[in-house]
Amino acid sequence: MGKGTRMGWFNEARFGMFIHWGLYSIPARGEWVMFHERIPKAEYAKLAQKFNPKKFDAESWVKLAKESGMKYMVLTTRHHDGFCLFDSKASDFTSVKTAAKRDFVAEYAEACRKHEMKIGFYYSLLDWRFPGWHYGPEKDPESFNQMVEQAHSQVRELMTNYGKIDILWYDGGWIPTVEDKDIAKYWRSEELNSMVRELQPDIIINNRSGIAEDIDTPEQEVTAAQKGRCWESCMTIGDSWGYLKHNPDMKSTVQLIKYLVSAASGGGNYLLNIGPKPDGTIQKEFVARLKEIGKWMKVNGESIYSSERISAGFKATTTGGFPGTATAKGNIMYFHIFTWPGEIAVISSLKNNVKNARILATGEKLEFEKKDNGILILKGLPKNPPDKNDSVIAVELDGKPEAFSYDGIPL
């Protein structure tokens, strides 16, 4: 299968769920608690005898993702602490061999397939339990190589034991004593990824093993990759990837929709993270926001799914020309208006002629006036915004969107 065909579903999806869940949910101080608090590995390992999430229900997670308008999910099969949510012959530090006695990755994959959700596996290459990672491959080559062998063995298990997998999302590729440009050599990433593609020919691999592979992955910001390059922005709802008991600084629903729209505007995806509780449930604040996004997506999803990258000329004016952001697909532009202007909206930098305009959620046709200087005036809008989060106006053009340049033209 060619790359274009293999990436097809990814470039249609635009919205996915990231899930950080593991032993670190028990202390509820974030997924880096072992490292930041310098918890000895023997002491940290005791958490595995407490990790027995009776309320974990993979199907409920998948149903929530679908209700939210998401098209794929990426689960942390193993984070930097080395604890596996799957059965592994390469380690005893797994959910199958400790208190839970369950293969959560298997349950997750089964639930995704049942509900036709694309399946992603996150896997951290590094493992804090190995001294070789801390000292580096030069000072402690034996321990470092043991860690690399573990990674290769476990990735093989993930690619072999759970059916067809759609995304392999590496993380933890950095090595403290090694320059980033050299990490692929030490992880033997070319060998690793060749094995992955042999086992999973249609898989999408991210850029965090030291090799560019298929997608760029900006973190906690929406930044488009170079034109022609597939990308996905991953982001938290609150202040942490893993569960925090006290997490007051959560993004609002409208903020999250803004990030989603911004990603779609750049022809990229938005991977929004949840950090479930140690019992396997998802905190109500996350659920509420995701369901609100889902309601918005039900009537406005046309402006997100399969969106195409718009030109920089439009991006420059969507921040100053009108109070929102634009997305596009074919000869239709979708103007996302977050700050409702009232009965008239003025949009600049549009070179094309306009065939018609409508409120996407209701289908209501709008009067418009298109001027030769790139100005589009939309008339007869409702006094109040049709949607409290993001009201979308779909404008059909006479061709692919073209930006009008005002350079050298005085007011």
Side-chain angles (χ1 to χ4, degrees):
M1 180 180 286
K3 184 174 180 179
T5 306
R6 182 164 50 83
M7 300 300 297
W9 74 262
F10 182 84
N11 287 319
E12 294 171 1
R14 293 294 173 247
F15 194 25
M17 176 183 281
F18 212 0
I19 306 164
H20 277 68
W21 187 57
L23 299 186
Y24 43 82
S25 63
I26 296 174
R29 297 192 295 276
E31 72 289 348
W32 276 65
V33 63
M34 178 184 179
F35 184 88
H36 287 319
E37 299 183 14
R38 296 300 191 268
I39 302 173
K41 61 183 181 182
E43 181 181 340
Y44 187 82
K46 294 176 183 177
L47 292 173
Q49 300 307 327
K50 298 179 180 178
F51 189 68
N52 191 10
K54 299 294 187 182
K55 295 182 180 180
F56 171 78
D57 176 14
E59 198 168 346
S60 70
W61 289 8
V62 177
K63 286 180 178 179
L64 176 62
K66 285 189 78 81
E67 186 178 350
S68 305
M70 294 165 166
K71 299 297 186 180
Y72 64 106
M73 300 170 73
V74 178
L75 171 68
T76 49
T77 67
R78 202 206 76 182
H79 206 260
H80 312 327
D81 59 0
F83 184 73
C84 301
L85 296 179
F86 59 96
D87 195 10
S88 176
K89 292 180 179 178
S91 173
D92 290 332
F93 197 41
T94 77
S95 59
V96 178
K97 297 174 183 176
T98 52
K101 300 291 190 293
R102 292 168 70 179
D103 188 327
F104 295 109
V105 170
E107 295 180 40
Y108 155 78
E110 182 182 355
C112 284
R113 275 194 195 94
K114 180 178 178 180
H115 295 280
E116 299 181 329
M117 179 72 69
K118 294 292 184 181
I119 303 170
F121 285 171
Y122 166 112
Y123 181 83
S124 170
L125 293 165
L126 73 83
D127 186 334
W128 288 322
R129 299 173 306 144
F130 286 82
W133 180 78
H134 301 271
Y135 294 128
E138 303 298 332
K139 287 188 176 181
D140 193 345
E142 182 179 1
S143 174
F144 187 88
N145 289 332
Q146 287 173 351
M147 178 180 62
V148 173
E149 287 296 332
Q150 175 187 261
H152 281 238
S153 295
Q154 291 184 337
V155 169
R156 178 179 288 276
E157 289 171 335
L158 289 169
M159 297 297 104
T160 303
N161 299 337
Y162 300 96
K164 186 177 184 295
I165 307 304
D166 301 292
I167 293 181
L168 175 55
W169 214 102
Y170 288 120
D171 197 18
W174 65 92
I175 305 165
T177 62
V178 175
E179 293 186 38
D180 286 348
K181 65 181 180 63
D182 296 324
I183 64 171
K185 176 179 71 174
Y186 289 98
W187 291 116
R188 304 190 339 245
S189 298
E190 287 190 12
E191 173 192 341
L192 178 63
N193 292 346
S194 292
M195 176 263 289
V196 168
R197 294 200 185 281
E198 184 178 339
L199 295 169
Q200 298 279 348
D202 298 337
I203 202 163
I204 294 169
I205 302 177
N206 77 346
N207 63 334
R208 296 197 179 196
S209 65
I211 304 175
E213 294 293 354
D214 298 313
I215 57 173
D216 288 347
T217 54
E219 185 170 321
Q220 298 289 34
E221 63 181 17
V222 176
T223 305
Q226 292 183 349
K227 192 173 183 180
R229 173 81 175 159
C230 295
W231 63 279
E232 167 195 79
S233 177
C234 57
M235 190 176 292
T236 57
I237 294 176
D239 280 337
S240 174
W241 298 98
Y243 175 61
L244 290 180
K245 188 173 183 180
H246 184 62
N247 193 9
D249 189 21
M250 293 191 189
K251 300 173 187 69
S252 66
T253 300
V254 69
Q255 284 177 300
L256 297 172
I257 291 175
K258 280 183 178 181
Y259 285 121
L260 171 60
V261 170
S262 182
S265 178
N269 289 7
Y270 188 52
L271 187 64
L272 184 58
N273 182 75
I274 60 169
K277 296 179 179 181
D279 66 359
T281 61
I282 301 169
Q283 53 190 299
K284 62 182 181 180
E285 294 88 352
F286 288 178
V287 172
R289 284 162 173 77
L290 292 177
K291 287 187 174 183
E292 285 182 6
I293 295 173
K295 288 180 181 178
W296 182 86
M297 287 288 280
K298 276 186 178 178
V299 292
N300 296 290
E302 176 188 321
S303 68
I304 301 296
Y305 300 127
S306 301
S307 67
E308 299 165 2
R309 184 172 180 144
I310 63 173
S311 76
F314 289 118
K315 285 196 171 186
T317 58
T318 52
T319 54
F322 83 99
T325 304
T327 58
K329 186 162 50 182
N331 67 330
I332 300 178
M333 285 197 77
Y334 302 92
F335 294 98
H336 299 256
I337 303 182
F338 296 104
T339 306
W340 193 250
E343 297 177 38
I344 294 176
V346 178
I347 295 169
S348 62
S349 297
L350 185 60
K351 189 175 181 179
N352 304 70
N353 291 321
V354 174
K355 290 186 172 182
N356 61 69
R358 60 190 164 91
I359 297 175
L360 184 57
T362 63
E364 179 185 346
K365 297 280 187 174
L366 297 173
E367 295 180 33
F368 63 88
E369 178 185 354
K370 177 62 175 57
K371 298 186 176 182
D372 292 337
N373 64 353
I375 295 295
L376 170 64
I377 302 173
L378 299 168
K379 304 176 181 179
L381 276 63
K383 290 183 179 180
N384 297 312
D387 190 288
K388 65 178 182 178
N389 293 308
D390 173 16
S391 300
V392 184
I393 295 176
V395 177
E396 184 180 359
L397 310 175
D398 61 354
K400 287 268 190 181
E402 295 182 66
F404 186 98
S405 175
Y406 295 105
D407 291 346
I409 300 177
L411 295 173

Short mmCIF file of all heavy atoms in Angstrom, two decimals, residues 29-66:
data_model
loop_
_atom_site.label_atom_id
_atom_site.label_comp_id
_atom_site.label_asym_id
_atom_site.label_seq_id
_atom_site.Cartn_x
_atom_site.Cartn_y
_atom_site.Cartn_z
N ARG A 29 -0.23 12.56 40.83
CA ARG A 29 0.61 13.75 40.72
C ARG A 29 1.31 13.80 39.35
O ARG A 29 2.39 14.36 39.22
CB ARG A 29 1.64 13.78 41.86
CG ARG A 29 1.01 13.87 43.23
CD ARG A 29 2.02 14.18 44.32
NE ARG A 29 3.01 13.13 44.52
CZ ARG A 29 2.83 12.05 45.29
NH1 ARG A 29 1.66 11.86 45.90
NH2 ARG A 29 3.78 11.15 45.45
N GLY A 30 0.68 13.22 38.37
CA GLY A 30 1.20 13.27 37.01
C GLY A 30 2.04 12.07 36.65
O GLY A 30 2.52 11.32 37.50
N GLU A 31 2.21 11.87 35.34
CA GLU A 31 2.87 10.67 34.82
C GLU A 31 4.39 10.65 35.04
O GLU A 31 5.03 9.61 34.91
CB GLU A 31 2.55 10.50 33.33
CG GLU A 31 3.22 11.48 32.39
CD GLU A 31 2.68 12.90 32.47
OE1 GLU A 31 1.61 13.11 33.10
OE2 GLU A 31 3.31 13.81 31.90
N TRP A 32 4.98 11.79 35.42
CA TRP A 32 6.41 11.87 35.69
C TRP A 32 6.75 11.78 37.18
O TRP A 32 7.85 12.09 37.60
CB TRP A 32 6.98 13.16 35.10
CG TRP A 32 7.34 13.07 33.65
CD1 TRP A 32 6.48 12.89 32.59
CD2 TRP A 32 8.64 13.17 33.09
NE1 TRP A 32 7.17 12.87 31.41
CE2 TRP A 32 8.50 13.04 31.68
CE3 TRP A 32 9.91 13.36 33.62
CZ2 TRP A 32 9.59 13.09 30.81
CZ3 TRP A 32 10.99 13.42 32.75
CH2 TRP A 32 10.83 13.28 31.37
N VAL A 33 5.79 11.35 38.00
CA VAL A 33 5.99 11.39 39.45
C VAL A 33 7.20 10.55 39.88
O VAL A 33 7.94 10.95 40.78
CB VAL A 33 4.70 10.94 40.17
CG1 VAL A 33 4.34 9.49 39.84
CG2 VAL A 33 4.83 11.13 41.68
N MET A 34 7.42 9.42 39.28
CA MET A 34 8.55 8.56 39.65
C MET A 34 9.87 9.29 39.44
O MET A 34 10.77 9.26 40.31
CB MET A 34 8.53 7.27 38.83
CG MET A 34 9.68 6.32 39.10
SD MET A 34 9.62 4.88 37.97
CE MET A 34 11.07 3.99 38.51
N PHE A 35 10.00 9.96 38.32
CA PHE A 35 11.25 10.64 37.98
C PHE A 35 11.43 11.91 38.81
O PHE A 35 12.48 12.13 39.42
CB PHE A 35 11.26 10.98 36.50
CG PHE A 35 12.55 11.59 36.01
CD1 PHE A 35 13.60 10.80 35.58
CD2 PHE A 35 12.70 12.98 35.95
CE1 PHE A 35 14.78 11.36 35.12
CE2 PHE A 35 13.88 13.54 35.50
CZ PHE A 35 14.92 12.74 35.08
N HIS A 36 10.42 12.75 38.83
CA HIS A 36 10.55 14.05 39.50
C HIS A 36 10.74 13.92 41.00
O HIS A 36 11.45 14.72 41.62
CB HIS A 36 9.33 14.93 39.20
CG HIS A 36 9.30 15.45 37.79
ND1 HIS A 36 10.42 15.92 37.14
CD2 HIS A 36 8.27 15.57 36.91
CE1 HIS A 36 10.10 16.32 35.93
NE2 HIS A 36 8.80 16.11 35.76
N GLU A 37 10.11 12.92 41.60
CA GLU A 37 10.22 12.74 43.05
C GLU A 37 11.30 11.72 43.43
O GLU A 37 11.44 11.37 44.60
CB GLU A 37 8.86 12.35 43.62
CG GLU A 37 7.81 13.42 43.38
CD GLU A 37 6.46 13.09 43.98
OE1 GLU A 37 6.38 12.15 44.82
OE2 GLU A 37 5.48 13.76 43.64
N ARG A 38 12.04 11.26 42.40
CA ARG A 38 13.15 10.33 42.62
C ARG A 38 12.72 9.13 43.47
O ARG A 38 13.38 8.74 44.43
CB ARG A 38 14.34 11.04 43.26
CG ARG A 38 14.97 12.12 42.38
CD ARG A 38 15.49 11.53 41.07
NE ARG A 38 16.32 12.44 40.32
CZ ARG A 38 15.87 13.27 39.37
NH1 ARG A 38 14.57 13.28 39.08
NH2 ARG A 38 16.68 14.05 38.69
N ILE A 39 11.60 8.54 43.10
CA ILE A 39 11.09 7.37 43.82
C ILE A 39 11.88 6.14 43.37
O ILE A 39 11.91 5.84 42.17
CB ILE A 39 9.59 7.16 43.54
CG1 ILE A 39 8.79 8.40 43.96
CG2 ILE A 39 9.08 5.93 44.27
CD1 ILE A 39 7.32 8.36 43.56
N PRO A 40 12.54 5.43 44.27
CA PRO A 40 13.30 4.23 43.88
C PRO A 40 12.39 3.22 43.19
O PRO A 40 11.21 3.08 43.53
CB PRO A 40 13.83 3.69 45.21
CG PRO A 40 13.82 4.87 46.13
CD PRO A 40 12.64 5.70 45.71
N LYS A 41 12.95 2.50 42.21
CA LYS A 41 12.13 1.61 41.41
C LYS A 41 11.47 0.52 42.24
O LYS A 41 10.34 0.12 41.95
CB LYS A 41 12.94 1.00 40.26
CG LYS A 41 14.13 0.15 40.67
CD LYS A 41 14.89 -0.33 39.44
CE LYS A 41 16.06 -1.20 39.79
NZ LYS A 41 16.83 -1.64 38.59
N ALA A 42 12.13 0.04 43.29
CA ALA A 42 11.53 -0.99 44.15
C ALA A 42 10.31 -0.45 44.89
O ALA A 42 9.30 -1.14 45.06
CB ALA A 42 12.56 -1.52 45.13
N GLU A 43 10.42 0.79 45.33
CA GLU A 43 9.29 1.41 46.05
C GLU A 43 8.15 1.71 45.06
O GLU A 43 6.98 1.46 45.37
CB GLU A 43 9.75 2.71 46.72
CG GLU A 43 8.66 3.41 47.50
CD GLU A 43 9.13 4.70 48.15
OE1 GLU A 43 10.36 4.88 48.32
OE2 GLU A 43 8.27 5.55 48.47
N TYR A 44 8.50 2.22 43.89
CA TYR A 44 7.48 2.53 42.89
C TYR A 44 6.76 1.27 42.44
O TYR A 44 5.55 1.28 42.19
CB TYR A 44 8.14 3.22 41.68
CG TYR A 44 7.16 3.74 40.66
CD1 TYR A 44 6.52 4.97 40.81
CD2 TYR A 44 6.86 3.00 39.51
CE1 TYR A 44 5.63 5.44 39.87
CE2 TYR A 44 5.97 3.46 38.56
CZ TYR A 44 5.35 4.69 38.74
OH TYR A 44 4.45 5.16 37.81
N ALA A 45 7.48 0.18 42.36
CA ALA A 45 6.90 -1.09 41.89
C ALA A 45 5.77 -1.57 42.78
O ALA A 45 4.90 -2.33 42.33
CB ALA A 45 7.99 -2.15 41.81
N LYS A 46 5.75 -1.13 44.04
CA LYS A 46 4.69 -1.54 44.96
C LYS A 46 3.31 -1.05 44.50
O LYS A 46 2.28 -1.62 44.87
CB LYS A 46 4.98 -1.02 46.37
CG LYS A 46 6.22 -1.64 47.02
CD LYS A 46 6.51 -1.01 48.37
CE LYS A 46 7.79 -1.58 48.99
NZ LYS A 46 8.12 -0.92 50.28
N LEU A 47 3.31 0.02 43.69
CA LEU A 47 2.04 0.54 43.18
C LEU A 47 1.34 -0.49 42.30
O LEU A 47 0.11 -0.49 42.19
CB LEU A 47 2.27 1.82 42.37
CG LEU A 47 2.75 3.06 43.14
CD1 LEU A 47 3.08 4.19 42.17
CD2 LEU A 47 1.69 3.51 44.14
N ALA A 48 2.12 -1.39 41.69
CA ALA A 48 1.54 -2.41 40.80
C ALA A 48 0.65 -3.38 41.58
O ALA A 48 -0.26 -3.99 41.00
CB ALA A 48 2.64 -3.18 40.09
N GLN A 49 0.90 -3.52 42.88
CA GLN A 49 0.06 -4.39 43.71
C GLN A 49 -1.20 -3.68 44.19
O GLN A 49 -2.06 -4.29 44.82
CB GLN A 49 0.87 -4.93 44.89
CG GLN A 49 2.10 -5.73 44.47
CD GLN A 49 1.77 -6.86 43.50
OE1 GLN A 49 0.69 -7.46 43.55
NE2 GLN A 49 2.70 -7.15 42.58
N LYS A 50 -1.29 -2.38 43.90
CA LYS A 50 -2.49 -1.60 44.23
C LYS A 50 -3.32 -1.27 42.99
O LYS A 50 -4.46 -0.83 43.11
CB LYS A 50 -2.09 -0.29 44.92
CG LYS A 50 -1.36 -0.46 46.24
CD LYS A 50 -1.00 0.90 46.82
CE LYS A 50 -0.25 0.77 48.14
NZ LYS A 50 0.13 2.11 48.68
N PHE A 51 -2.71 -1.47 41.83
CA PHE A 51 -3.36 -1.09 40.57
C PHE A 51 -4.30 -2.21 40.13
O PHE A 51 -3.90 -3.16 39.46
CB PHE A 51 -2.31 -0.81 39.50
CG PHE A 51 -2.86 -0.20 38.24
CD1 PHE A 51 -3.36 1.09 38.22
CD2 PHE A 51 -2.85 -0.92 37.05
CE1 PHE A 51 -3.85 1.65 37.05
CE2 PHE A 51 -3.34 -0.37 35.87
CZ PHE A 51 -3.84 0.92 35.88
N ASN A 52 -5.55 -2.08 40.51
CA ASN A 52 -6.55 -3.09 40.19
C ASN A 52 -7.87 -2.40 39.89
O ASN A 52 -8.81 -2.40 40.71
CB ASN A 52 -6.70 -4.07 41.36
CG ASN A 52 -7.51 -5.30 40.99
OD1 ASN A 52 -7.81 -5.51 39.82
ND2 ASN A 52 -7.88 -6.08 41.97
N PRO A 53 -7.94 -1.75 38.72
CA PRO A 53 -9.06 -0.87 38.38
C PRO A 53 -10.35 -1.63 38.08
O PRO A 53 -10.63 -1.99 36.93
CB PRO A 53 -8.55 -0.12 37.15
CG PRO A 53 -7.55 -1.05 36.54
CD PRO A 53 -6.93 -1.79 37.66
N LYS A 54 -11.15 -1.83 39.08
CA LYS A 54 -12.39 -2.61 38.94
C LYS A 54 -13.40 -1.96 38.01
O LYS A 54 -14.25 -2.64 37.43
CB LYS A 54 -13.02 -2.82 40.32
CG LYS A 54 -12.15 -3.59 41.32
CD LYS A 54 -11.93 -5.03 40.89
CE LYS A 54 -11.21 -5.82 41.97
NZ LYS A 54 -10.93 -7.22 41.55
N LYS A 55 -13.33 -0.64 37.86
CA LYS A 55 -14.33 0.06 37.04
C LYS A 55 -13.85 0.30 35.62
O LYS A 55 -14.55 0.97 34.84
CB LYS A 55 -14.71 1.39 37.71
CG LYS A 55 -15.41 1.22 39.05
CD LYS A 55 -15.81 2.56 39.63
CE LYS A 55 -16.52 2.40 40.97
NZ LYS A 55 -16.92 3.70 41.55
N PHE A 56 -12.68 -0.22 35.28
CA PHE A 56 -12.19 -0.04 33.91
C PHE A 56 -13.11 -0.74 32.92
O PHE A 56 -13.42 -1.93 33.05
CB PHE A 56 -10.78 -0.61 33.77
CG PHE A 56 -10.30 -0.65 32.33
CD1 PHE A 56 -9.85 0.50 31.70
CD2 PHE A 56 -10.33 -1.84 31.60
CE1 PHE A 56 -9.42 0.46 30.38
CE2 PHE A 56 -9.91 -1.88 30.27
CZ PHE A 56 -9.45 -0.73 29.67
N ASP A 57 -13.55 0.01 31.93
CA ASP A 57 -14.41 -0.52 30.88
C ASP A 57 -13.99 0.12 29.57
O ASP A 57 -14.36 1.26 29.27
CB ASP A 57 -15.88 -0.21 31.20
CG ASP A 57 -16.83 -0.65 30.09
OD1 ASP A 57 -16.40 -1.42 29.21
OD2 ASP A 57 -17.99 -0.20 30.09
N ALA A 58 -13.19 -0.60 28.80
CA ALA A 58 -12.64 -0.05 27.56
C ALA A 58 -13.75 0.42 26.63
O ALA A 58 -13.62 1.43 25.92
CB ALA A 58 -11.76 -1.09 26.88
N GLU A 59 -14.85 -0.31 26.61
CA GLU A 59 -15.94 0.05 25.70
C GLU A 59 -16.53 1.41 26.03
O GLU A 59 -16.89 2.18 25.14
CB GLU A 59 -17.02 -1.03 25.75
CG GLU A 59 -17.95 -0.99 24.56
CD GLU A 59 -18.84 -2.21 24.45
OE1 GLU A 59 -18.56 -3.23 25.12
OE2 GLU A 59 -19.81 -2.15 23.68
N SER A 60 -16.58 1.76 27.31
CA SER A 60 -17.12 3.07 27.68
C SER A 60 -16.17 4.18 27.21
O SER A 60 -16.63 5.27 26.82
CB SER A 60 -17.32 3.16 29.20
OG SER A 60 -16.09 3.18 29.89
N TRP A 61 -14.88 3.94 27.24
CA TRP A 61 -13.92 4.91 26.72
C TRP A 61 -14.13 5.12 25.22
O TRP A 61 -14.15 6.26 24.75
CB TRP A 61 -12.49 4.43 26.95
CG TRP A 61 -12.01 4.44 28.37
CD1 TRP A 61 -12.74 4.69 29.50
CD2 TRP A 61 -10.67 4.18 28.81
NE1 TRP A 61 -11.94 4.58 30.60
CE2 TRP A 61 -10.67 4.28 30.22
CE3 TRP A 61 -9.49 3.87 28.16
CZ2 TRP A 61 -9.52 4.09 30.98
CZ3 TRP A 61 -8.33 3.68 28.91
CH2 TRP A 61 -8.35 3.80 30.30
N VAL A 62 -14.28 4.03 24.50
CA VAL A 62 -14.44 4.12 23.04
C VAL A 62 -15.76 4.82 22.69
O VAL A 62 -15.81 5.65 21.78
CB VAL A 62 -14.36 2.72 22.40
CG1 VAL A 62 -14.60 2.81 20.89
CG2 VAL A 62 -13.01 2.07 22.68
N LYS A 63 -16.80 4.50 23.43
CA LYS A 63 -18.09 5.14 23.18
C LYS A 63 -18.02 6.65 23.42
O LYS A 63 -18.62 7.44 22.68
CB LYS A 63 -19.17 4.52 24.06
CG LYS A 63 -19.61 3.12 23.62
CD LYS A 63 -20.69 2.58 24.55
CE LYS A 63 -21.18 1.21 24.09
NZ LYS A 63 -22.21 0.67 25.02
N LEU A 64 -17.28 7.05 24.46
CA LEU A 64 -17.12 8.48 24.73
C LEU A 64 -16.36 9.15 23.58
O LEU A 64 -16.72 10.25 23.15
CB LEU A 64 -16.39 8.69 26.05
CG LEU A 64 -16.07 10.14 26.42
CD1 LEU A 64 -17.35 10.96 26.58
CD2 LEU A 64 -15.23 10.20 27.70
N ALA A 65 -15.31 8.49 23.10
CA ALA A 65 -14.55 9.04 21.98
C ALA A 65 -15.44 9.22 20.75
O ALA A 65 -15.39 10.25 20.08
CB ALA A 65 -13.35 8.15 21.66
N LYS A 66 -16.26 8.22 20.46
CA LYS A 66 -17.16 8.31 19.31
C LYS A 66 -18.18 9.43 19.50
O LYS A 66 -18.46 10.20 18.57
CB LYS A 66 -17.87 6.97 19.09
CG LYS A 66 -17.00 5.89 18.48
CD LYS A 66 -17.79 4.68 18.09
CE LYS A 66 -18.56 4.88 16.80
NZ LYS A 66 -17.72 4.67 15.60
#
